[in-house]
Amino acid sequence: MTTSTTRVLALLEILQGGGTRTVADLAARLGVDERTVRRYAGHLLELGVPVESLRGRYGGYRLAPGHRMPPLMLTDEEALAVLLGLLVAQRTGPVTASGAASESAAAKLRRVLPKALGRRLEALLETADFTAPPRSAGAREAGLLLGLAEAARDRRPVALGYTDRRGRSSERTVWPYGLVAHGGRWYLTAADPSAGPATDPSAGPATDPSTDPSAGPATAPSTDPSAGPVAGPAEVRTFRLDRVTGMHVLPGSFESPPDFEPVAAVLDSLAGAPWAHEVRVRVRAEEHHVRRHLPPGLATLSPLPPEDGADWTEVRLRAERLDWIPAVLAALDRPFVIDRPPELRTLVTSLADRLTMYATASAPEAPAPDDH
């Protein structure tokens, strides 16, 4: 490879870093004069690389938006990051497309990598494994994710088809606030003006109704795009993306609460999901200590007024079964008071009795040695 060809490729690599580069800056980085930089840019144009020239004081060169980066220009570290990102996303990340799409993308990248780098990455892919099985998803989920993201960014109301956890289907208009990736899934936070109280099973399709009254009022959409947003209260709800059966953007606009946090809304919503049991326990410990054992999305924590100079935290969670909770309370290793449900006290007492029995039991005698 000639020196000039090497520098042309170096120019492409610099431009792929994004932004506009002045001719003087490029000349200094490439070790050539400005006239040569312009000639190199012309070579890239001849090769079909869309290099744009910008005039003026802050002008220079940049790549046109949408240009697909040649994978050959990836460094070893960049190629490793891309391939591992595809593999990890398929195994443990929020799924937005089929496994076949991730595999085909990785295969295309591997085909154009230099042989030496390709062999090293193949060795890693052949020897690496994950404890979690690959997640599955339909290809339509990627389209839904992108469509809802645009609607949330542009503050446009959306007609949403949804199937809830009980298999009930419905159609409704929502005002998307944001998208959150959690636990390998995507969730949509949205204001739902047609929703009833969170405890009403006929309220509609939301998977996990929010129980946080501080979420703030939503703003109603305008059916006339020129009318502007109209304020009005609405309940904030959480929808699982894989349960959305269809969506289309509606005319109008809305305004989300200025201090709304989608992540907090989703975690609070999941922690308050309508399961069989509602648990409330007061723990004599600071919130950060309790949180190490009860992560967001599983429990809602609230600080309580200190008693006898000690911090107390209220734990609220919902669960389909109670049998796992006594072990978590024991792991806290702090005094606690069970407010509800009463049957949890029985389970905790039973666990304490078993632990006492195990700790005080005598070890079995070792068998006598065989003299023969």
Side-chain angles (χ1 to χ4, degrees), residues 278-284 312-315 322 325-327 329-330 332 334-350:
E278 181 182 356
V279 177
R280 292 202 177 190
V281 179
R282 286 171 287 152
V283 182
R284 187 177 178 178
W312 285 78
T313 300
E314 182 185 52
V315 177
L322 297 174
I325 299 179
L329 295 176
L332 291 174
R334 294 291 189 277
F336 59 84
V337 177
I338 298 173
D339 292 326
R340 67 173 70 167
E343 52 266 38
L344 180 58
R345 299 190 187 99
T346 303
L347 292 174
V348 171
T349 302
S350 177

Side-chain angles (χ1 to χ4, degrees), residues 303-322:
L304 296 173
E307 295 183 13
D308 299 328
D311 292 312
W312 285 78
T313 300
E314 182 185 52
V315 177
R316 290 176 294 153
L317 61 90
R318 296 171 187 250
E320 199 66 31
R321 303 193 330 269
L322 297 174

